[in-house]
Amino acid sequence: MSNRLPVDTESTLKEILESVKAFAYEFNFNDEGSLTGVEFVSENIENIYGISREEYLERIRDGKINELFDPETRDKTVENFHKTLINGERTTFRYQLKNGNWVQEKINPTH
């Protein structure tokens, strides 16, 4: 029995991610918590945020992603995200989007 991963692991992972109501991303941040790059965002983002992957990436780059958060939970969501960047610990938190969808986000920082 082989422990080898499929030859096309990236497309296999993409298929799995798109078959569930979830999305994944990988962003790079500097020590101050500023975004320095976007490595990956799964296509399924549209099903949750209600916007295209391209618009999501544009909002991330322009610092406007917070506009999609429900105003009542926006400040706490941003606070939780930044706290995770600063302390570098795994965390899970929930927030609501303006479109009514709830998101449970699990962040696993790597340094």
Side-chain angles (χ1 to χ4, degrees), residues 42 59 61 84 92 105:
S42 61
R59 286 177 173 274
R61 287 186 195 105
T84 300
T92 300
E105 188 149 350

Side-chain angles (χ1 to χ4, degrees), residues 4 7 13 16 19 25 32-33 36 38 47 52 71 74 92 103:
R4 294 179 54 187
V7 174
L13 179 59
I16 292 168
S19 70
Y25 61 83
E32 289 79 41
T36 60
V38 176
N47 293 331
S52 70
R74 182 179 296 142
T92 300
V103 175

